[in-house]
Amino acid sequence: EYSCEYGSLKFYALCGVGGVLSCGLTHTAVVPLDLVKCRMQVDPQKYKSIFNGFSVTIKEDGVRGLAKGWAPTFIGYSMQGLCKFGFYEVFKILYGNMMGEENAYLWRTTLYLAASASAEFFADIALAPMEAAKVRIQTQPGYANTLRQAVPKMFGEEGIWAFYKGVAPLWMRQIPYTMMKFACFERTVEALYKYVVPKPRSECTKGEQLVVTFIAGYIAGVFCAIVSHPADSVVSVLNKEKGSSASQVLMRLGFKGVWKGLFARIIMIGTLTALQWFIYDSVKVYFRLPRPPPPEMPESLKKKLGLTE
């Protein structure tokens, strides 16, 4: 019934396609909310709250102004999704095989954390140039209105460094976020099937399985937003200002400053993460990819622990 073998090249490639669709589409859909969040972080005097931020933006730039930065968002997050989801599957299988079946079960949370951190390391290198362009377009009035205007201007001013100076703060923001996103999702799915869903996953319809995916994705998203928000504030300010370092920005913002815009981000990231997992899992269903059930204790381990009859 499957279109390919678990862990084959075709499997990884189609997982990458799922990642492109899940990250590219969802991040582009929430560009208006992201734009207001970025502006609240870099200019809190002018953009005091979510609703105030929306009204000021519409008053100054019209409704079209809310879509500023959609092109770098779509391209950047599609690239990021390809690497994030594609490499996660690669590293999960690779590290799992290195650990062996029993350890991969006992230390599965560590396995999810290590695989997702490794995948995100590469995903951020793919995302960084477009993220830098997006923040310039969204937060510097009059700098550039489109990606075509922003890229040559940035390259002319600072060379290739302009596109990669935000990669370290991106790692600070995205790696903890992604570790939480994948590990929390995997363990929440496991818990939902164990304690909430009244029947095993094999007896659930595809639709019921996707509902579980969506709920687990939303729960993971709320935790993701909280864990990564301080670094997100630093990234927004850093890309707006020339010549500042991440530590200088952190010192200046202080403890209260780094939590500005958290409520907006919880709504955005919760919905975003739930939709991403839903789209990703739907792509797996559509292409008939193998979707292993939640992990169960290997028979050999049950014997060792005296749990078998």
Side-chain angles (χ1 to χ4, degrees), residues 94-105 107-108 110-111:
L94 179 72
Y95 295 161
N97 290 341
M98 284 162 67
M99 290 164 81
E101 191 186 23
E102 291 180 9
N103 284 332
Y105 174 78
W107 297 91
R108 58 194 182 283
T110 308
L111 171 63

Side-chain angles (χ1 to χ4, degrees), residues 161-176:
W161 176 239
F163 301 102
Y164 286 100
K165 71 174 184 180
V167 78
L170 258 183
W171 282 329
M172 277 164 49
R173 179 185 91 188
Q174 290 294 135
I175 290 178

Side-chain angles (χ1 to χ4, degrees), residues 79-80 83-84 117 119-129 131 163-164 166-176 178:
M79 296 295 294
Q80 189 217 27
C83 297
K84 183 196 300 233
E120 190 58 44
F121 177 83
F122 294 104
D124 288 342
I125 295 169
L127 168 66
E131 179 76 0
F163 301 102
Y164 286 100
V167 78
L170 258 183
W171 282 329
M172 277 164 49
R173 179 185 91 188
Q174 290 294 135
I175 290 178
T178 300

Side-chain angles (χ1 to χ4, degrees), residues 33 36 40 48-55 263-265 267:
L33 190 58
V36 172
M40 279 167 67
K48 296 178 179 66
S49 67
I50 300 178
F51 301 109
N52 172 260
F54 270 105
S55 62
F263 182 66
R265 198 148 181 272
I267 297 168

